[in-house]
Amino acid sequence: MNFNSIHNVYFIGIGGIGMSALARYFHANNKVVAGYDKTSTELTNSLLEHGIKIHFEDSVKLVDEKFLNSENTLVVYTPAVPKNHSELEYFKANGFKVLKRSEVLGLITEHTFCLAVAGTHGKTTTTSILAHLLFECNVPLTAFLGGISENYNSNLILSGTEVSVVEADEFDRSFLTLSPDLACITSMDADHLDIYGDASHLIQSFNDFSKRVKPNGKLFVKNGLPLQGITYGIEDDSDYSVQNIKIENGAYVFDVKTPKTVLKNLVFNLPGRHNLSNALIALAMAVEYGCPHQQLAKALALYKGVKRRFTYHIKTDDFVFIDDYAHHPEEINAVHQAVREMYPDKKVLAVFQPHLYSRTRDFADDFAASLSQFDELLLLDIYPARELPIEGITSEWLLSKIKSENKQLVSKAELMSKIHESKAQILLTIGAGDIGEEVKHIKKEFSIAS
């Protein structure tokens, strides 16, 4: 497809994190952009501030008529939109170019040097670190992030078009539209079983993705995964390995052994071994791309993180409030490890909102085990996202499986008073649903208190 012939780009589901990055990209490239979303959020507000028109009711009548010309309009939709969406049906029935977000990403990155980050966990943070490293090394890049980078306050980093950095999403097998020059796979834990049926199909799709790497390209894999590639790991014999880890002033200080040399005394400010692993693979890809080691070390030390990925909202001697997007048992384990490493002697209260009925059902025992590790737990109702309820799959049912003395099911209305009742010095909110909306209220309430 020739994007030059496209004047208008219309997004169905424009408020999604990946969709809004694409909307910003086309807007920055002087296309006329507008879209629909189900609800107003901080992301849609930010797009509106950029002059992008958005409406929140599914109605073709609300679509500006300039987007009703099939000759020069591209329609982009997310798989999260229901099949019977009336705007989507209209565009499909009337001969418009209608593409999934992942297909558009594939087309944009096709004629660039593409670095792609895949894996069931760690994609967003790794992509964000990698984009930051390349940007600081003056690489002309376009980076599409699955979260808001704290360094750039955006999910799009744009300094040129020669290189693209993308999150390669396994949901709906989206990543098979990409053909990267450098790619990594951070993890292949079972997830999205509502799409894949069982874990073997998920693993097969990662295998298929590994074959999408260009003939002279390179694939990096976390040590231990059943794929051939350049390996990376922590304190092991990988091609790229983190060694001599110390914690100084809440930051990691460490060395990285590369196939050719050792980079000494690197500094990285995000807590948790999972984040150290994300930093390592981003660094490895930047080294293989050809970035100078000294510039990389400096850039890594300046990296601030991604919103809702172990984000500190309050950090005093008496009280710490951290928010994280963790919505899979392995991610909860990683957050727990990070909190215990940073605050070994303090009590931790976790507030968790399960995301999807199917995921709660598929991993109930693993969720119970991971949530049982916290000193206290407040459990919210399941956030349905794109799903209808499944009989018997409730937060009450999940709570019954959790082996913990201090656990209770709470509504959002009770949340603040229940947090006040706790004596814990560390408060953690976790989940991928709308729990993020509660964060600002909690921060406001406890900023005054602390």
Side-chain angles (χ1 to χ4, degrees), residues 17 20-21 24-25 43 46 50 128 143-158 305-307:
I17 192 75
S20 61
R24 285 172 189 272
Y25 168 81
L43 282 173
S46 173
H50 279 80
S128 162
F144 297 93
L145 310 178
I148 303 296
S149 160
E150 297 277 12
N151 289 76
Y152 305 91
N153 198 29
S154 179
N155 51 353
L156 178 74
I157 302 173
L158 193 55
V306 176
K307 284 185 181 164

Side-chain angles (χ1 to χ4, degrees), residues 38-56:
K38 196 166 58 172
T39 47
S40 164
T41 61
E42 281 182 23
L43 282 173
T44 56
N45 291 342
S46 173
L47 293 175
L48 286 164
E49 282 165 19
H50 279 80
I52 294 171
K53 286 186 179 169
I54 301 172
H55 59 262
F56 300 96

Side-chain angles (χ1 to χ4, degrees), residues 157-199:
I157 302 173
L158 193 55
S159 67
T161 54
E162 283 175 38
V163 173
S164 54
V165 178
V166 294
E167 215 167 291
D169 192 0
E170 75 283 356
F171 174 74
D172 202 33
R173 297 179 172 83
S174 290
F175 57 4
L176 300 182
T177 60
L178 300 169
S179 36
D181 295 89
L182 299 179
C184 74
I185 297 175
T186 63
S187 50
M188 289 167 26
D189 293 314
D191 197 5
H192 303 302
L193 298 185
D194 52 327
I195 302 285
Y196 284 98
D198 66 52

Side-chain angles (χ1 to χ4, degrees), residues 3 77 98-108 174 177:
F3 285 128
Y77 72 102
V98 180
L99 296 176
K100 270 189 201 172
R101 179 185 72 89
S102 56
E103 293 171 309
V104 176
L105 211 48
L107 288 166
I108 290 170
S174 290
T177 60

Side-chain angles (χ1 to χ4, degrees), residues 40 131 147 186 200 301 319 321 334 361 402 406 428:
S40 164
T186 63
S200 67
F319 185 69
F321 171 32
R361 175 197 62 201
I402 295 166
N406 289 315
L428 189 60

Side-chain angles (χ1 to χ4, degrees), residues 112-131:
T112 66
F113 188 97
C114 177
L115 296 91
V117 176
T120 39
H121 322 297
K123 280 191 297 293
T124 298
T125 301
T126 304
T127 310
S128 162
I129 301 169
L130 176 57

